Amino acid sequence: MNNQKISVIIPAYNEEKFIEKTLESIKNTATYLPEIIVVVNGSKDKTFEISKRCSAKVLNFPKAIGPSAARNEGAKIATGDVFVFLDADTEISNNTIQEVVANANHNIVGVCSAATIDEKADKKLRAKIFFAFKNFVHKTKLHKGSLALIFCSREVFLGINGFNKDMRIGELNDFIKSAIIAGAVYKFLDNCHVITSLRRYEKEGYLRMFLFWIKWKIARVFKTDKKVTDKYFK
């Protein structure tokens, strides 16, 4: 393990049901406690209070600034050599931070495998299939994407000016794509994992969400994705 310092940056919007478990999972890492920064992004619930109680650093924006801008604001005060961007409804395995430390270098953008938190059998089966597919395409690099967690060096983040603040969805994959174009190496960690929620997929339906993302990607080509994105948040 090298001596690089890690900063975990978490944008959070109305995540009072999840944020404490997310933060506790980071604190439960076996041998390495990173800097933790929560960026409360226009929340109307108790996300700020819970984060303040559980986390070392909390930024609070009473008016929502969007997930991309929230990540960028967190990075501004981060002191780490390596940034880990984590969704607020996502727990990490005990060895995730150690694996990031062991694999990180100045020219890397990386992700790790993912699993489900759903407990009901029917939901768990659908989620397992979904995650198995996502993990496969990321590991084989058929699609250099992410799910709930991205890590990169400070140099890579600054080199591409962070996340595109105008994007409200799809910003994680856009960040990875920009980093790779700038010369970063894509890394998939399969010996650690995140445990995350698929609540929107369960609510909207997996097929409907799959078709939505196809429609959104096509709209991106023709620069009409804002209309599709706006429907996503209705």
Side-chain angles (χ1 to χ4, degrees), residues 80-93:
D81 307 298
V82 178
F83 296 159
V84 175
F85 297 97
L86 182 68
D87 287 355
D89 60 352
T90 303
E91 300 170 45
I92 64 173
S93 61

Side-chain angles (χ1 to χ4, degrees), residues 36-40 48 51-53 55-60:
I36 304 172
I37 300 169
V38 178
V39 185
V40 182
F48 173 77
S51 300
K52 194 71 176 176
R53 186 179 75 240
S55 179
K57 295 183 180 179
V58 183
L59 295 178
N60 187 31

Side-chain angles (χ1 to χ4, degrees), residues 36-228:
I36 304 172
I37 300 169
V38 178
V39 185
V40 182
N41 179 26
S43 293
K44 305 301 182 184
D45 62 4
K46 296 181 180 179
T47 300
F48 173 77
E49 290 82 359
I50 296 171
S51 300
K52 194 71 176 176
R53 186 179 75 240
C54 297
S55 179
K57 295 183 180 179
V58 183
L59 295 178
N60 187 31
F61 291 88
K63 184 177 180 181
I65 60 174
S68 292
R71 292 185 181 94
N72 291 343
E73 290 297 326
K76 286 180 182 179
I77 67 167
T79 61
D81 307 298
V82 178
F83 296 159
V84 175
F85 297 97
L86 182 68
D87 287 355
D89 60 352
T90 303
E91 300 170 45
I92 64 173
S93 61
N94 288 345
N95 66 330
T96 298
I97 298 301
Q98 289 91 327
E99 288 300 319
V100 169
V101 171
N103 286 275
N105 60 57
H106 73 280
N107 195 38
I108 196 169
V109 59
V111 302
C112 69
S113 62
T116 179
I117 62 174
D118 289 317
E119 297 180 355
K120 294 182 179 180
D122 59 333
K123 290 184 178 181
K124 183 173 286 188
L125 178 60
R126 290 194 296 267
K128 280 186 174 181
I129 294 171
F130 174 86
F131 284 122
F133 174 75
K134 290 284 286 184
N135 290 334
F136 173 77
V137 297
H138 295 165
K139 183 177 181 178
T140 58
K141 300 181 181 179
L142 291 173
H143 173 60
K144 296 176 181 178
S146 74
L147 193 62
L149 180 149
I150 291 177
F151 68 93
C152 68
S153 66
R154 175 183 288 272
E155 292 95 321
V156 166
F157 180 87
L158 295 177
I160 60 173
N161 296 315
F163 290 84
N164 182 344
K165 62 182 179 60
D166 295 323
M167 294 186 70
R168 299 167 69 195
I169 61 174
E171 73 280 359
L172 298 180
N173 290 340
D174 179 78
F175 179 88
I176 291 173
K177 181 179 178 180
S178 298
I180 293 172
I181 291 173
V185 176
Y186 178 80
K187 179 78 173 180
F188 177 82
L189 305 180
D190 60 356
N191 52 352
C192 62
H193 64 272
V194 296
I195 303 171
T196 193
S197 169
L198 289 175
R199 46 191 162 158
R200 184 177 285 273
Y201 282 81
E202 290 294 342
K203 178 182 177 181
E204 301 293 339
Y206 283 76
L207 178 59
R208 183 177 180 183
M209 288 301 300
F210 178 73
L211 295 174
F212 167 82
W213 285 114
I214 292 176
K215 182 178 179 181
W216 181 81
K217 286 181 180 295
I218 294 172
R220 284 279 289 171
V221 174
F222 295 98
K223 299 182 179 180
T224 58
D225 52 293
K226 185 180 183 303
K227 293 181 180 180
V228 180

Side-chain angles (χ1 to χ4, degrees), residues 15-43:
E15 297 287 359
E16 65 179 7
K17 293 181 180 179
F18 296 95
I19 190 65
E20 185 168 2
K21 287 185 178 180
T22 296
L23 296 174
E24 288 302 316
S25 76
I26 300 170
K27 293 178 180 180
N28 288 337
T29 53
T31 59
Y32 188 98
L33 182 61
E35 174 183 53
I36 304 172
I37 300 169
V38 178
V39 185
V40 182
N41 179 26
S43 293

